[in-house]
Amino acid sequence: PLLGPGLSIAVLNGPSQCVVSGSYEELNDLEAELDREGLRHKRLQTSHAFHSSMMDPVLSAFEEKAREAVFGEPQIPYISNVTGKWITAQEAADPRYWVKHLRGTVRFSEGVGQLLADADSIFVEVGPGKTLSAFVRQQLDEEAAARNVIVNMVKSSNENVPDDEFLLRGIGRLHIHGAHIDWQSYYAGERRFRVPLPTYAFDRQYYSIRAGQAGSGADNRGTTGRVGGDA
């Protein structure tokens, strides 16, 4: 209700954060209104008012170019930012879909909700920092936080950790949570040797506990114990 006629919701990042797009004049009016309402806001530096009515003049030309493209069926399932749901082969091959992608709201928050509803997930942020991870965490209650894993793979500028160490920590977290790691690709170009562990065989010894030996007065009818580790 705070938006003027020339403003659009460009991005839904989370339940409590969105991006508004439009002309400078109307954004100035909106910022003044937000100040009066005591609502926090921040001006983003972008080259164009993406996902707003200011994209309308290029939509027809964009669609013409899109119709020249040959679209293939997606080979990897992914969440559509247009619908917030799983992409369909029909949508991916429709030039009008890509026009909506240019003009419509980016429904990142709804896409995260779709993933959380489908199954337990591992969320991997592959860009620097934790911006998108923070948006995901906004949608995790205590139970969901225990079932879903968030891993950052690229450190931000204020994290004083060597790049290799930060990357390996992320890969380690993925590994212990069941993700498949392609170690052959990771160590490509290096010569690695596999060392079998342990390097000795356990010498197992078996001892029988005979009835009456426990000393506790219990009716011990015989138990076999094993000493010597299985590691």
Side-chain angles (χ1 to χ4, degrees), residues 104-198:
T105 301
V106 176
R107 300 186 178 278
F108 178 83
S109 179
E110 294 179 24
V112 172
Q114 178 73 57
L115 290 171
L116 293 174
D118 287 344
D120 299 344
S121 302
I122 299 177
F123 293 88
V124 181
E125 181 153 3
V126 296
K130 302 178 181 179
T131 301
L132 298 181
S133 303
F135 297 152
V136 173
R137 288 188 174 91
Q138 289 180 11
Q139 296 183 234
L140 299 180
D141 55 24
E142 186 174 348
E143 180 183 352
R147 293 187 289 103
N148 296 273
V149 180
I150 300 176
V151 179
N152 302 89
M153 299 303 294
V154 183
K155 71 176 186 179
S156 62
S157 58
N158 59 358
E159 292 178 283
N160 188 24
V161 181
D163 292 337
D164 289 349
E165 179 182 342
F166 192 92
L167 177 63
L168 280 171
R169 285 182 183 178
I171 293 175
R173 288 196 63 201
L174 292 174
H175 179 69
I176 64 175
H177 286 289
H180 170 71
I181 308 298
D182 186 351
W183 295 112
Q184 295 293 331
S185 295
Y186 183 81
Y187 289 114
E190 300 182 32
R191 189 179 183 189
R192 295 279 166 168
F193 297 93
R194 180 173 295 175
V195 179
L197 293 175

Side-chain angles (χ1 to χ4, degrees), residues 47-111:
S47 60
H48 294 76
F50 297 113
H51 307 287
S52 78
S53 59
M54 298 189 76
M55 293 287 100
D56 290 349
V58 302
L59 296 183
S60 296
F62 183 83
E63 183 177 351
E64 289 180 12
K65 286 296 181 182
R67 293 191 179 279
E68 297 175 5
V70 177
F71 295 98
E73 183 174 341
Q75 300 300 301
I76 300 175
Y78 69 91
I79 298 290
S80 163
N81 271 338
V82 176
T83 64
K85 303 182 183 299
W86 292 101
I87 191 72
T88 67
Q90 182 179 4
E91 287 172 330
D94 183 1
R96 288 295 305 167
Y97 169 84
W98 297 102
V99 174
K100 293 177 183 177
H101 206 293
L102 181 66
R103 172 64 177 86
T105 301
V106 176
R107 300 186 178 278
F108 178 83
S109 179
E110 294 179 24

